[in-house]
């Protein structure tokens, strides 16, 4: 009897022939050769070699569907070579993978009398060995509703979906599979595959980490990890490398070719473009022919945008892409974003709509076409009126030329170039509030459309929506038809009385009604509206009762009731917490009522900044624009130069108020006070100073913005940084070209800040329009036609001759 050798890995030289026969698929000859070697040597290594040859033979039998013969051979090998337990596991794996004997192996899972060890062994077999889940889904040893059969079927269907295209996460939830199921590791594998196709590599690697390393899906981890950027394809086994390349493809050469083609397009070098197109299409045809159509579409669109002769390009591509919906969609989007030609873009958007309806992407009338029409309306509304006629003429000539050349292009009426028609059609197809709101906002922009027509269509389509009634009410209010506006308001209140816009509209209409009656001298009619305002819940918010008190003071002033006038002015100041603010609001209300009523300023030395800011905030809250009279500038400047206010919010509010008029000197002194006193807010006041400086000081203005950006970065103030970049893009040539604010170091910003703190106000101020009225008319207002009527003569109470 042959004696085993001392080393388990001792193999004779002719053992290499056995491995070669196995690799070539000649398993029968391999078994015979391994038998001869093992009979001669009789070592553990030669026994392992023989078992490997038997494994190859079993695989060959199973491939030829000799299942019974394969099972008999496996039984023989198990009986004859029991010492090769590890190698025999490979035979068992081969049998399970092929489905041979699977029913018998899984029968304990459906047998109530089977031992726990037998069931655990069967589950281990499913968890670690089974890779063909179709065999498990069709296993007759398990009931049709067994969790393993249902789970295997769900995994099989999910695998088909996830490898076919984009998939939603709900498809991969797989509630049929519990966390303790032998199939649990298939769930993170499926999610990792989905992440790979969604380019979510980090999430995919996290899912791979949760796969049980002893499970059957773990065999795919190395290849999938390499695809997700967590490994090197060169370190994989040949089988894993083949799988990874089959999934990813060898596209490096194609990528280089496409990059060169893109550079040729950027240089507009036609010979290089044609050569690059031929090379890229040839490589794509060899590596991934499924992208040929998409590549032709991209090249054709890029060529149209760059105005390249289509004839040689079509020859280089081997044909022109079809004018289908995908091509027209890409072309319309390119024309919209690159050429800035809204007329031509709208034409191709309409062509896309026709093609998409023909290809049954969506119906001819519905929310999809409505959304498209709203987008086209936005383009048409932004078209330059000076260029619109010329672009329209060129489009007509192009369509006539195409028709003369035998093209299928028709000559439509081109309604798609008119925003109002587009919006009307969009709202008719999909009557939703967002569409009607777009129509109304466009009409409010001063275009040819009618706001009332849009609101009436909205009201008719959505009778339970109060917003169109609010629009109609505002239009009647602008025409000073307050009675009609109140009728619209009552209808809106009957639909939704707690709506914030409705409640605010009632407040505004009552105020305007009181102002009109006071202006007409009908103070007894204004009294009823003021009484209703005092009990109105929304009038009790944000200090609005102070404005009601101011209106009562103006009514008393008009009636000659000096005592009541003083009492109401005092009440307005009490409600605002500042007597001077109450006097300012009263003066503003008087202006709205056509009454000249000033503020006693001789006895007031400070508190002007706080009063102005509070009065302005109240006016803005009620929809009125606060304007500072020139006579108030002196006390405000005195208070600023004495540095009596250090609150950054107050100083910023005052600066914005002054910039709106503009009162440049007040605005500059406000920034000076803010830079000195508002610690931590220096960047904000540098931005405000950049807004105050005149155009001739553009270098200083740019330095203010650069320093503000540097300080905002230091303080991690992203909001302020965005405001600085927006201002930079508005006032600088570099910013208008898309260039960011040039960097300034923190040390440079601090030095510049020190210089600006010491800077004096520039001597030459631009022309500043003077305002005598503390309040302008309600916003929005209609343009006046003809000369402004003279203001009424103010009546001053006999007891107060110092009022200005």
């Amino acid at each position: 009897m042959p004696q085993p050798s001392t080393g388990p890995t001792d193999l004779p030289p002719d053992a290499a022939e056995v491995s070669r026969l196995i690799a070539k698929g000649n398993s029968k000859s391999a078994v015979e050769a391994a038998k001869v070697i093992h009979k001669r040597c009789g070592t553990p290594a030669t026994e392992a070699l023989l078992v490997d040859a038997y494994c190859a033979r079993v695989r060959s039998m199973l491939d030829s569907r000799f299942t019974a013969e394969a099972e008999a051979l496996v039984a023989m090998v198990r009986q004859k070579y029991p010492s090769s337990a590890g190698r025999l596991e490979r035979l068992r794996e081969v049998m399970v993978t092929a489905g041979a004997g699977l029913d018998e192996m899984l029968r304990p899972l459906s047998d109530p009398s089977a031992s726990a060890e037998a069931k655990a062994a069967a589950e281990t077999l499913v968890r670690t060995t089974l890779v063909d889940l179709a065999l498990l889904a069709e296993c007759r040893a398990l009931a049709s509703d067994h969790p393993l059969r249902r789970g295997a079927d769900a995994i099989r269907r999910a695998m088909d979906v996830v490898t076919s295209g984009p998939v939603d996460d709900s498809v991969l939830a797989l509630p049929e599979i519990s966390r303790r199921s032998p199939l649990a590791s298939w769930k993170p594998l499926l999610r990792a595959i989905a992440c790979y196709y969604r380019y979510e590599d980090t999430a995919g690697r996290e899912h791979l980490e949760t796969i049980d390393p002893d499970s059957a899906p773990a065999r795919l981890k190395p290849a999938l990890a390499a695809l997700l950027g967590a490994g090197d394809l060169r370190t994989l086994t040949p089988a894993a490398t083949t799988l990874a390349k089959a999934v990813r493809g060898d596209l490096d050469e194609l990528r280089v070719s496409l990059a060169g083609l893109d550079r040729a397009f950027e240089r507009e070098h036609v010979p290089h473009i044609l050569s690059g197109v031929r090379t890229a299409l040839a490589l794509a045809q060899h590596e991934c022919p499924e992208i040929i159509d998409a590549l032709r579409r991209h090249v054709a669109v890029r060529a149209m945008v760059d105005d390249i002769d289509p004839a040689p390009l079509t020859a280089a591509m081997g044909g022109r892409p079809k004018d289908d919906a995908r091509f027209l969609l890409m072309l319309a989007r390119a024309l919209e974003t690159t050429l800035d030609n809204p007329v031509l873009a709208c034409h191709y958007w309409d062509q896309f709509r026709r093609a998409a309806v023909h290809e049954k992407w969506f119906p001819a009338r519905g929310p999809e076409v409505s959304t498209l029409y709203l987008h086209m309306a936005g383009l048409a509304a932004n078209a330059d009126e000076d260029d619109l006629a010329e672009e329209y003429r060129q489009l007509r000539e192009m369509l006539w030329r195409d028709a003369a050349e035998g093209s299928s292009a028709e000559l439509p009426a081109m309604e798609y170039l008119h925003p109002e028609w587009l919006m009307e059609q969009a709202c008719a197809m999909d009557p939703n509030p967002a569409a009607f709101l777009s129509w109304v906002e466009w009409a409010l922009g001063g275009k040819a459309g009618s706001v009332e027509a849009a609101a009436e269509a909205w009201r008719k389509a959505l009778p339970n929506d109060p917003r169109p009634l609010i629009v109609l009410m505002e239009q009647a209010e602008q025409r000073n038809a307050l009675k009609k506006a109140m009728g619209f308001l009552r209808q809106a209140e009957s639909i939704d009385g707690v709506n914030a816009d409705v409640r605010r509209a009632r407040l505004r209409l009552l105020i305007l009604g009181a102002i009109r009656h006071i202006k007409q001298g009908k103070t007894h009619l204004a009294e009823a509206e003021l009484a209703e305002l005092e009990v109105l819940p929304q009038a009790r918010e944000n200090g609005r009762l102070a404005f009601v008190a101011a209106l009562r003071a103006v009514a008393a002033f008009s009636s000659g009731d000096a005592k009541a006038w003083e009492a109401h002015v005092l009440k307005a100041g009490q409600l605002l917490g500042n007597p001077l603010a109450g006097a300012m609001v009263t003066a503003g209300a008087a202006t709205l009522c056509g009454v000249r009523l000033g503020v006693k300023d001789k006895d007031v030395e400070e508190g002007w900044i706080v009063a102005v800011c509070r009065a302005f905030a109240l006016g803005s809250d009620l929809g009125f624009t606060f304007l500072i009279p020139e006579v108030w500038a002196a006390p405000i400047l005195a208070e600023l130069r004495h540095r009596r206010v250090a609150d950054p919010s107050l100083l910023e509010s005052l600066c914005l108020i002054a910039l709106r008029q503009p009162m440049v000197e007040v605005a500059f002194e406000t920034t000076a006070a803010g830079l000195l006193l508002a610690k931590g807010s220096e960047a904000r006041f540098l931005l405000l100073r950049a807004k105050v400086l005149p155009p001739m000081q553009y270098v200083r203005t740019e330095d203010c913005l650069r320093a503000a950006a540097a300080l905002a970065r230091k303080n991690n103030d992203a909001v302020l940084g965005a405001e600085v970049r927006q201002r930079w893009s508005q006032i600088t040539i570099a910013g208008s070209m898309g260039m960011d604010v040039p960097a300034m170091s923190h040390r440079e910003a601090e030095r510049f800040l020190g210089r600006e703190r010491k800077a004096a106000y520039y001597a030459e101020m631009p022309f500043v329009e003077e305002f005598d009225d503390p309040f302008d008319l309600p916003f929005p207002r209609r343009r006046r036609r003809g000369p402004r009527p003279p203001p009424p003569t103010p009546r001053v109470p006999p007891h107060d001759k110092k009022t200005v």
Side-chain angles (χ1 to χ4, degrees):
M1 187 173 180
Q3 297 297 322
S5 60
T6 57
T9 59
D10 295 337
L11 286 173
D14 52 352
E17 179 65 16
V18 177
S19 300
R20 188 183 68 83
L21 292 171
I22 293 175
K24 290 180 63 178
N26 194 350
S27 59
K28 186 174 181 180
S29 299
V31 169
E32 295 299 328
K35 283 181 180 179
V36 172
I37 294 173
H38 184 57
K39 185 176 182 180
R40 185 177 74 244
C41 300
T43 65
T46 58
E47 180 179 320
L49 181 66
L50 179 57
V51 173
D52 286 344
Y54 276 125
C55 288
R57 184 60 181 158
V58 169
R59 290 192 186 94
S60 178
M61 289 180 175
L62 291 173
D63 291 341
S64 302
R65 300 189 181 278
F66 296 139
T67 306
E69 290 81 354
E71 291 179 357
L73 181 59
V74 169
M76 184 273 293
V77 174
R78 284 178 178 174
Q79 183 179 3
K80 194 170 183 179
Y81 304 106
S83 59
S84 298
R87 300 284 175 170
L88 292 175
E89 283 298 321
R90 295 180 60 188
L91 279 177
R92 183 170 179 249
E93 177 183 329
V94 171
M95 298 297 295
V96 172
T97 303
L102 182 63
D103 291 354
E104 188 63 29
M105 296 175 186
L106 299 184
R107 198 173 301 280
L109 295 176
S110 61
D111 185 1
S113 62
S115 64
E117 292 78 5
K119 293 182 178 180
E123 290 183 350
T124 301
L125 172 71
V126 173
R127 180 175 61 85
T128 62
T129 304
L130 191 63
V131 293
D132 190 353
L133 296 179
L135 299 174
L136 179 58
E138 299 169 2
C139 181
R140 291 171 295 179
L142 303 177
S144 60
D145 59 346
H146 194 279
L148 287 180
R149 287 190 64 176
R150 291 190 294 107
D153 185 63
I155 292 173
R156 182 178 60 175
R157 287 185 280 104
M159 182 67 76
D160 292 339
V161 173
V162 81
T163 55
S164 301
V167 61
D168 191 75
D169 288 338
S170 60
V171 178
L172 305 179
L174 300 178
E176 303 89 345
I177 303 171
S178 65
R179 295 178 58 185
R180 296 185 179 182
S181 171
L183 302 173
S185 291
W186 288 92
K187 294 170 71 173
L189 176 69
L190 290 169
R191 291 168 183 167
I193 294 173
C195 290
Y196 169 73
Y197 286 110
R198 290 198 297 249
Y199 298 94
E200 299 172 358
D201 293 355
T202 302
R205 292 193 291 268
E206 292 175 356
H207 287 306
L208 284 183
E209 292 298 325
T210 63
I211 296 178
D212 183 1
D214 296 330
S215 64
R219 301 175 193 177
L220 293 174
K221 281 181 65 174
L224 192 52
L227 292 172
L228 291 168
D232 190 351
L233 288 176
R234 294 172 294 183
T235 63
L236 300 179
T237 62
T241 302
T242 303
L243 174 63
K245 287 186 176 181
V247 173
R248 191 189 67 170
D250 192 7
L251 304 178
D252 293 339
E253 190 175 358
L254 177 59
R255 290 193 184 95
V256 173
S257 175
L258 292 176
L261 178 59
D262 193 51
R263 289 192 296 271
F265 268 114
E266 289 176 357
R267 294 193 299 266
E268 297 184 1
H269 195 282
V270 176
H272 287 178
I273 291 173
L274 299 178
S275 175
V277 167
R278 295 188 192 96
T279 303
L281 285 171
L283 290 171
Q285 184 67 44
H286 183 264
E287 298 293 343
C288 46
E290 64 274 9
I291 72 166
I292 291 292
D293 292 339
L295 183 56
R296 283 196 179 115
R297 285 195 294 267
H298 278 276
V299 171
V301 169
R302 183 68 180 270
M304 280 193 72
V305 170
D306 293 343
D307 198 19
I308 295 175
D309 187 4
L313 188 69
T314 302
M317 291 191 298
R320 175 182 171 82
K322 294 189 300 184
D323 288 341
D324 56 4
R326 293 186 183 278
F327 173 72
L328 293 169
L329 171 63
M330 189 181 300
L331 180 58
R333 184 61 178 157
L335 292 172
E336 170 188 326
T337 56
T338 58
L339 292 186
D340 193 22
N341 189 333
V343 175
L344 197 58
C346 283
H347 168 70
Y348 279 106
W349 275 122
D350 192 69
Q351 294 299 309
F352 159 72
R353 176 190 63 81
R354 294 166 181 259
V357 170
H358 178 72
E359 296 173 23
K360 301 191 183 309
W361 284 26
F362 41 75
R365 295 182 66 84
E368 298 86 357
V369 178
S370 173
T371 303
L372 178 58
Y373 274 171
L374 288 174
H375 180 72
M376 294 167 61
L379 294 175
N382 293 328
D384 189 350
E385 295 182 358
D386 296 335
D387 299 334
L388 186 60
E390 177 64 21
E391 293 174 356
Y392 185 86
R393 183 188 63 79
Q394 293 178 0
L395 178 58
R396 295 284 298 184
E397 289 180 356
M398 183 190 72
L399 294 177
W400 277 107
R401 184 174 60 253
D402 291 343
E405 293 174 358
S407 173
S408 60
E410 299 178 359
L411 296 177
M414 298 188 187
E415 298 93 344
Y416 51 79
L417 298 180
H418 303 286
E420 188 168 14
W421 181 87
L422 289 167
M423 291 179 181
E424 183 179 355
Q425 293 297 314
C427 294
M429 292 180 189
D430 184 23
N432 65 83
F436 283 109
L437 189 60
S438 299
W439 188 1
V440 169
E441 289 177 349
W442 170 80
L444 286 172
K447 303 294 182 181
S450 170
V451 180
E452 287 84 356
E456 286 291 353
W458 187 354
R459 176 186 180 186
K460 184 177 179 181
L462 302 172
N464 294 325
D465 193 339
R467 285 175 289 185
L469 292 166
I470 297 296
V471 174
L472 292 170
M473 182 207 70
E474 291 174 348
Q475 294 302 304
E477 173 190 321
Q478 289 188 15
R479 299 193 305 270
N480 206 24
L482 297 184
K483 185 175 181 181
K484 190 173 184 179
M486 187 62 72
F488 287 128
L489 175 63
R490 292 193 184 96
Q491 296 180 50
E493 287 177 333
S494 65
I495 295 173
D496 187 0
V498 298
N499 184 283
D501 293 334
V502 174
R503 296 173 73 247
R504 186 175 180 83
R506 173 162 284 278
L507 173 68
R508 186 172 64 252
L509 278 184
L510 288 174
I511 289 175
L512 291 177
I515 290 173
R516 185 177 68 172
H517 287 142
I518 294 174
K519 186 181 296 186
Q520 295 172 349
K522 303 175 182 178
T523 55
H524 61 287
L525 296 178
E527 178 61 32
E529 291 158 332
L530 294 173
E532 186 177 351
L533 278 170
E534 287 181 337
V535 298
L536 201 65
Q538 52 267 38
R540 297 178 173 273
E541 302 170 358
N542 303 327
R544 293 168 182 167
L545 284 178
F547 196 82
V548 179
L551 288 175
R552 284 192 176 278
V554 176
F557 180 84
S558 300
S559 302
D561 191 346
K563 186 175 182 180
W565 171 66
E566 289 186 348
H568 290 306
V569 172
L570 180 63
K571 182 178 179 181
Q574 292 173 346
L575 290 171
L576 290 175
N578 188 299
L580 184 56
M584 290 181 177
V585 170
T586 304
T591 301
L592 294 174
C593 296
V595 178
R596 294 285 178 166
L597 183 63
V599 176
K600 293 185 294 184
D601 58 343
K602 294 184 179 180
D603 299 330
V604 181
E605 296 183 357
E606 59 182 23
W608 285 85
I609 295 176
V610 175
V612 165
C613 292
R614 291 186 183 176
F616 175 79
L618 179 60
S620 299
D621 178 59
L622 295 173
F624 302 107
T625 303
F626 197 146
L627 300 176
I628 303 175
E630 280 295 321
V631 295
W632 295 1
I636 293 174
L637 286 171
E639 193 169 340
L640 286 170
R641 288 165 180 163
H642 285 87
R643 308 291 186 246
R644 293 172 180 169
V645 175
D647 188 345
S649 60
L650 282 177
L651 291 174
E652 182 180 356
S653 298
L654 178 62
C655 186
L656 294 175
I657 295 169
L659 283 173
R660 177 175 292 185
Q661 292 194 214
M663 298 184 71
V664 187
E665 187 175 4
V666 172
F668 187 89
E669 289 297 334
T670 304
T671 61
L675 291 176
L676 284 173
L677 304 177
K679 302 300 181 183
S681 301
E682 292 88 349
R684 173 68 61 180
F685 285 96
L686 282 173
L687 172 61
L688 291 173
R689 178 158 289 186
K691 296 180 179 181
V692 173
L693 292 173
M696 67 283 294
Q697 298 192 18
Y698 61 90
V699 175
R700 184 180 174 189
T701 300
E702 292 180 2
D703 288 341
C704 284
L705 293 175
R706 293 176 60 200
L711 295 176
R713 284 193 299 270
K714 177 190 173 185
N715 300 329
N716 295 322
D717 193 340
V719 175
L720 179 59
E723 293 180 19
V724 172
R725 288 191 295 273
Q726 181 182 7
R727 184 65 179 174
W728 178 267
S729 64
Q730 291 172 347
I731 67 171
T732 65
I733 297 176
S736 64
M737 298 173 63
M739 300 175 64
D740 202 357
V741 184
M744 177 183 282
S745 68
H746 174 59
R747 182 174 297 180
E748 291 174 334
E750 290 292 342
R751 286 201 298 266
F752 179 80
L753 177 61
R755 292 196 301 268
E756 282 298 318
R757 281 172 172 161
K758 299 176 183 178
Y761 180 63
Y762 48 86
E764 295 183 0
M765 289 191 304
F767 173 76
V768 180
E769 183 181 358
E770 296 184 359
F771 294 91
D772 293 329
D773 299 338
F775 276 95
D776 200 354
L777 291 177
F779 182 82
R781 63 180 180 181
R782 293 182 298 162
R783 293 184 178 179
R784 294 184 180 273
R785 297 186 181 275
R788 185 189 297 269
T793 304
R795 290 183 292 174
V796 181
H799 69 284
D800 188 3
K801 300 296 184 180
K802 295 181 180 180
T803 302
V804 295

